[in-house]
Amino acid sequence: GQSLEQPSEVTAVEGAIVQINCTYQTSGFYGLSWYQQHDGGAPTFLSYNALDGLEETGRFSSFLSRSDSYGYLLLQELQMKDSASYFCAVTANSGNTPLVFGKGTRLSVIA
Amino acid sequence: DAGVIQSPRHEVTEMGQEVTLRCKPISGHNSLFWYRQTMMRGLELLIYFNNNVPIDDSGMPEDRFSAKMPNASFSTLKIQPSEPRDSAVYFCASSSRGANYGYTFGSGTRLTVV
């Protein structure tokens, strides 16, 4: 089976840094993905980690620790437009199983 | 590329009626996924196809739900008869190379059953 835990809500100040954590219990874990979803919109792909360590893409970075079954999404230089829900998702069995999503973290960026 | 195209964007129907949701994946993508999103249950996988073949439909909640993919460019999700608890946003997504390159989601169909 698969289960993911992430905080339901996070609030941060514009220009600051925020970290959204995700822990998972996944048989045959293969990789951890992150998606962003604005209200009324579709989930959009942000990042994917299969190996331990940090992956950086612009203001967003994603980290994975396979031994701790833990990952996080780091957002730097927060902007108002970053207010959205962020989902972690896992795939298993050499990536042959479809993504299973966490419940999402709603990020509110305030001035 | 127009992305993944879903229709209709919104559907309001009466309980007991048949509902058909449609999806056109990105050309060249060989995997197609149907997800349902609600506040209570989040994003749930209903069914997915590889090369037009249904691989796993264990997420389909009941026999009232069925999905088809007659060719590489079209898929339908049908609910018959519909019930108020089916109210949700239904997303179709496609992928060419698996999770590591990301899924592309359509804009979704917001279904309301009254």
Side-chain angles (χ1 to χ4, degrees):
Chain A
Q2 294 156 347
S3 69
L4 298 96
E5 294 290 333
Q6 53 180 130
S8 58
E9 294 183 357
V10 172
T11 300
V13 178
E14 189 176 18
I17 299 172
V18 71
Q19 179 174 311
I20 299 173
N21 298 320
C22 175
T23 58
Y24 58 86
Q25 290 185 327
T26 302
S27 300
F29 173 82
Y30 190 73
L32 182 71
S33 302
W34 288 92
Y35 283 73
Q36 178 192 60
Q37 184 180 28
H38 286 98
D39 285 348
T44 57
F45 174 68
L46 292 177
S47 67
Y48 175 81
N49 295 67
L51 303 176
D52 286 355
L54 191 68
E55 296 277 347
E56 299 182 56
T57 307
R59 294 188 297 113
F60 293 5
S61 303
S62 57
F63 172 82
L64 176 65
S65 169
R66 296 175 68 99
S67 60
D68 294 323
S69 297
Y70 163 75
Y72 64 73
L73 180 69
L74 191 73
L75 295 81
Q76 302 182 71
E77 300 172 17
L78 280 173
Q79 302 176 8
M80 301 299 285
K81 67 178 181 179
D82 297 329
S83 293
S85 292
Y86 293 85
F87 295 85
C88 58
V90 294
T91 187
N93 299 329
S94 302
N96 291 323
T97 59
L99 288 173
V100 174
F101 286 83
K103 291 289 181 64
T105 298
R106 186 173 184 85
L107 170 64
S108 297
V109 180
I110 59 175
Chain B
D1 193 338
V4 176
I5 300 173
Q6 291 188 245
S7 64
R9 286 298 308 273
H10 302 275
E11 177 81 29
V12 180
T13 192
E14 292 185 346
M15 181 174 62
Q17 296 298 305
E18 177 180 294
V19 176
T20 299
L21 311 181
R22 297 173 175 78
C23 175
K24 177 179 170 56
I26 291 175
S27 177
H29 282 194
N30 63 337
S31 297
L32 183 141
F33 311 87
W34 282 100
Y35 285 87
R36 178 172 69 175
Q37 187 173 38
T38 61
M39 287 295 293
M40 290 296 294
R41 300 175 69 89
L43 270 165
E44 303 174 276
L45 177 71
L46 300 177
I47 185 172
Y48 77 102
F49 298 81
N50 279 348
N51 297 312
N52 313 338
V53 176
I55 303 301
D56 184 358
D57 66 354
S58 60
M60 299 284 260
E62 299 173 28
D63 291 345
R64 299 183 296 106
F65 286 68
S66 62
K68 295 181 180 180
M69 192 166 186
N71 57 61
S73 59
F74 185 65
S75 177
T76 60
L77 178 68
K78 185 176 293 186
I79 308 173
Q80 165 65 18
S82 58
E83 297 183 1
R85 58 184 167 146
D86 302 331
S87 297
V89 180
Y90 290 80
F91 286 104
C92 172
S94 70
S95 171
S96 62
R97 292 178 287 176
N100 47 331
Y101 292 94
Y103 292 178
T104 302
F105 282 77
S107 299
T109 295
R110 181 174 295 277
L111 174 65
T112 303
V113 183
V114 297

